[in-house]
């Protein structure tokens, strides 16, 4: 009886593992080492994390031009960069949306947005969507906080109130960076938020 | 003459009848739907007026709502728009599209507190749909845009 039970448990575990492996949308979890990339910035130059020699970490934000949640957070992302880039934690924004599915998120419109808003951080175009897929990003905005070794230390929302910045009580990303800077464990490692689903290219998804 | 006045009455009604009121719900409602001991199947769709794939799939939910009106199936469209826009943008959208399915607004400021209640599988991207069938003890969750066929197949599997 015990043997049967053990076999059953093993089978269940294997099923769970194979399900995880087959699910391409899983991406990184906290503790994984994130891959670097080389993506085109709005100024036409390629940007890689490794280029940022003085960085002690990276605030990687999957975001875009059109999504109201992303727009609601835009000023807060700019503030994050202004506050933390001088401390060694720059924002690296990545637009993963397919321009044929959402024309507002084209590279040309990214450039326009940067000019209009005076965006001070790198705003990169993940044209093949490979980076978003590898990271496991599903929505905009979607933050991955990496330490200097590119180990993922936090995944999720910027704070706990997308509609109203002044009403936000918990600033998840700031708290996580402050913990990293103090050499402490990040208390809240993962959060979820409503966001616009990433506009995957039609050729690759249904 | 009688017919004409009927038509006239109908027109007046169409002009004057207000769009459905948008009820505000709290996250506890999700738990209630999931735990209620009922043979009603709940089809919960999470959407927003500005979300193009959400708007594109709304007709499928409306069609499902109409086609299964005589069965114990309830479609609820749960708006995740900004609260300040419910009375304006959402309400006028519901009116313009003549939505018949019940539309409610999720009145919670921190989605991190309720996304997992809907489904631990849900990352938070919309559109998303949860079908609850207590009599079959089944929860079907989808984080993608659904066609009518996909929606109906899912519903039939738990009816």
């Amino acid at each position: 009886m015990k043997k049967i039970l053990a076999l059953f448990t093993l089978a269940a575990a294997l099923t769970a593992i194979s399900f995880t492996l087959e699910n391409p949308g899983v991406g990184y979890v906290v503790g994984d080492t994130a891959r670097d990339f080389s993506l085109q910035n709005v100024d036409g130059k390629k940007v890689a994390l490794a280029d940022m020699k003085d960085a002690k970490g990276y605030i990687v934000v999957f975001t875009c031009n059109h999504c109201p949640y992303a727009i609601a957070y835009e000023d807060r992302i700019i503030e994050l960069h202004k506050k933390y880039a001088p401390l060694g934690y720059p924002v690296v924004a990545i637009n993963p949306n397919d321009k044929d599915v959402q024309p507002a998120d084209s590279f040309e419109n990214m450039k326009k947005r940067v000019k209009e808003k005076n965006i001070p951080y790198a705003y990169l175009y993940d044209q093949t969507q490979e980076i978003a897929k590898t990271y496991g990003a599903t929505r905009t905005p979607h933050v991955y906080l990496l330490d200097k070794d590119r180990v993922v230390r936090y995944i999720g929302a910027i704070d706990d109130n997308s509609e109203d910045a002044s009403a936000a009580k918990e600033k998840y990303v700031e708290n996580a960076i402050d913990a990293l800077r103090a050499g402490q464990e990040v208390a809240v490692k993962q959060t979820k938020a409503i966001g616009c689903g990433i506009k995957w290219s039609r050729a690759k998804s249904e | 003459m009688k017919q004409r006045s009927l038509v006239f009455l109908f027109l007046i009604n169409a002009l004057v009848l207000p769009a459905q009121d948008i009820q505000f719900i709290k996250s506890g409602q999700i738990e209630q739907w999931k735990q209620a001991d009922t043979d009603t199947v709940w089809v919960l769709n999470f959407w927003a007026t500005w979300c193009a794939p959400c708007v594109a799939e709304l007709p499928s939910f409306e069609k499902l709502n109409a086609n299964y009106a005589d069965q114990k199936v309830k479609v609820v469209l749960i708006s995740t728009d900004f609260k300040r826009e419910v009375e304006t943008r959402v309400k006028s959208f519901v009116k313009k599209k003549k939505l018949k399915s019940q539309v409610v607004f999720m009145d919670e400021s921190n989605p991190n507190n309720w996304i997992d209640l809907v489904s631990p599988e849900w990352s938070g991207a919309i559109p998303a749909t949860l079908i609850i069938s207590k009599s079959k003890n089944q929860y079907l969750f989808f984080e993608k845009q659904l066609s009518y066929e996909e929606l109906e197949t899912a519903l039939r599997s738990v009816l």
Side-chain angles (χ1 to χ4, degrees):
Chain A
M1 186 61 197
K2 262 190 184 162
K3 255 187 193 168
I4 293 174
L5 208 71
L7 269 176
F8 183 76
T9 314
L10 185 68
L14 283 175
T15 313
I17 290 167
S18 63
F19 178 75
T20 313
L21 289 176
E22 279 164 19
N23 187 345
V26 170
Y28 295 140
V29 295
V30 170
D32 286 351
T33 301
R35 58 160 289 181
D36 200 349
F37 42 73
S38 177
L39 296 173
Q40 193 167 36
N41 195 4
V42 282
D43 62 6
K45 291 179 189 143
K46 295 264 186 175
V47 168
L49 297 178
D51 299 337
M52 303 174 195
K53 301 279 183 227
D54 300 327
K56 295 175 180 140
Y58 314 89
I59 310 169
V60 177
V61 187
F62 291 91
T63 187
C64 65
N65 306 322
H66 92 279
C67 170
Y69 303 99
I71 292 168
Y73 270 115
E74 208 166 43
D75 287 340
R76 281 174 266 185
I77 298 170
I78 292 171
E79 287 310 310
L80 271 178
H81 182 77
K82 283 187 178 163
K83 180 172 176 184
Y84 287 102
L87 302 173
Y89 294 84
V91 165
V92 182
I94 300 175
N95 168 20
N97 283 349
D98 186 295
K99 69 172 186 339
D100 294 330
V101 180
Q102 180 49 264
D105 289 330
S106 69
F107 190 62
E108 285 309 308
N109 284 325
M110 287 170 62
K111 287 193 216 169
K112 259 191 223 162
R113 193 71 198 161
V114 167
K115 240 186 210 160
E116 278 165 17
K117 292 285 292 185
N118 243 326
I119 286 175
Y121 45 79
Y123 188 20
L124 315 177
Y125 190 32
D126 184 14
Q127 196 169 5
T128 63
Q129 306 187 314
E130 188 191 340
I131 303 308
K133 278 183 188 155
T134 309
Y135 276 59
T138 60
R139 60 180 192 269
T140 54
H142 199 159
V143 176
Y144 290 75
L145 176 66
L146 315 181
D147 67 17
K148 66 174 181 341
D149 302 318
R150 296 198 315 274
V151 175
V152 181
R153 304 297 292 268
Y154 169 81
I155 301 175
I158 289 161
D159 60 36
D160 64 358
N161 193 318
S162 59
E163 179 166 1
D164 184 1
S166 65
K169 291 185 202 81
E170 260 196 275
K171 298 184 174 178
Y172 301 124
V173 171
E174 291 199 25
N175 294 346
I177 300 171
D178 292 345
L180 287 191
R181 296 190 63 231
Q184 291 164 354
E185 186 79 7
V186 174
V188 180
K189 296 186 175 70
Q190 185 142 12
T191 60
K192 289 181 174 183
I194 299 290
C196 303
I198 288 177
K199 305 298 179 275
W200 301 111
S201 103
R202 289 194 183 103
K204 288 166 212 140
S205 65
E206 71 271 71
Chain B
M1 186 60 201
K2 202 175 181 187
Q3 206 173 356
R4 201 179 269 181
S5 60
L6 270 178
V7 169
F8 180 71
L9 266 178
F10 177 78
L11 278 175
I12 288 287
N13 267 335
L15 287 171
V16 182
L17 268 186
Q20 62 166 303
D21 269 329
I22 297 166
Q23 200 193 325
F24 282 36
I25 62 165
K26 289 286 182 185
S27 56
Q29 182 64 53
I30 304 282
E31 285 293 278
Q32 282 181 30
W33 275 319
K34 288 177 91 167
Q35 283 160 13
D37 195 14
T38 165
D39 50 2
T40 298
V41 175
W42 295 93
V43 180
L44 309 178
N45 174 246
F46 296 86
W47 70 292
T49 52
W50 58 57
C51 160
C54 305
V55 172
E57 69 173 1
L58 279 179
S60 301
F61 287 86
E62 286 285 274
K63 190 173 162 189
L64 194 82
N65 189 49
N67 288 354
Y68 287 82
D70 57 347
Q71 297 186 47
K72 290 191 169 171
V73 175
K74 277 279 285 178
V75 174
V76 185
L77 307 175
I78 303 173
S79 157
T80 61
D81 285 78
F82 290 139
K83 190 173 183 174
R84 62 173 180 271
E85 293 182 337
V86 173
E87 281 304 311
T88 51
R89 189 186 166 110
V90 182
K91 216 165 182 177
S92 68
F93 179 94
V94 169
K95 195 172 179 180
K96 196 179 89 197
K97 298 275 179 183
K98 299 186 177 72
L99 296 183
K100 299 283 190 297
S101 310
Q102 189 187 2
V103 179
V104 301
F105 173 71
M106 178 56 86
D107 182 23
E108 294 282 359
S109 62
N110 186 6
N112 190 48
N113 295 338
W114 59 269
I115 286 175
D116 280 339
L117 295 179
V118 176
S119 171
E121 288 171 57
W122 189 15
S123 80
I126 55 170
T129 299
L130 177 69
I131 301 178
I132 302 170
S133 171
K134 279 308 275 188
S135 57
K136 290 274 162 72
N137 205 19
Q138 289 247 38
Y139 304 107
L140 303 180
F141 178 75
F142 304 90
E143 183 174 315
K144 62 169 191 170
Q145 183 183 335
L146 294 170
S147 68
Y148 181 75
E149 287 68 32
E150 288 172 303
L151 195 52
E152 190 176 41
T153 304
L155 175 66
R156 284 192 170 178
S157 74
V158 297
L159 268 184

